[in-house]
Amino acid sequence: MRQRGWHISVLIPARNEEDLLPRCLFSIQQARQKLADRVTTDVIVVSDCSRDRTRTLAEAILKDSGIVLETNSGIVGSARAMAAAAAIERCHSPP
């Protein structure tokens, strides 16, 4: 029987974070490289009411290593819940 490893989802609610988000995402990318092979990771960024390049920058940095969602809820809890639901769905979906 094959033993399953760990899966880590990083959830990032963001609003107008074009100045700080790249540093955050690059830091996460570096940390991911230090994890054991049996650990998989996913990054979910939710751009909430952003009027800057938050979404565009996140998509360019993450490429295939995560997803960027968008909402106009204006409530950080809703953005977090949206990210959590997406992370659970991605974790349980077959590759």
Side-chain angles (χ1 to χ4, degrees), residues 45-73:
V45 175
V46 178
S47 177
D48 186 10
C49 298
S50 292
R51 296 178 181 262
D52 64 1
R53 298 179 312 137
T54 294
R55 181 185 181 124
T56 304
L57 289 171
E59 288 173 337
I61 293 167
L62 288 177
K63 296 180 176 115
D64 293 332
S65 63
I67 61 168
V68 182
L69 305 173
E70 196 162 19
T71 185
N72 288 311
S73 73

Side-chain angles (χ1 to χ4, degrees), residues 11-60:
L11 313 179
I12 304 172
R15 180 180 299 152
N16 297 327
E17 295 291 349
E18 72 179 359
D19 292 336
L20 298 175
L21 188 61
R23 185 171 144 193
C24 171
L25 293 176
F26 288 130
S27 176
I28 291 167
Q29 300 288 41
Q30 288 178 338
R32 291 167 106 175
Q33 294 174 4
K34 296 177 182 177
L35 295 172
D37 290 340
R38 70 179 188 280
V39 178
T40 58
T41 61
D42 201 11
V43 179
I44 316 288
V45 175
V46 178
S47 177
D48 186 10
C49 298
S50 292
R51 296 178 181 262
D52 64 1
R53 298 179 312 137
T54 294
R55 181 185 181 124
T56 304
L57 289 171
E59 288 173 337

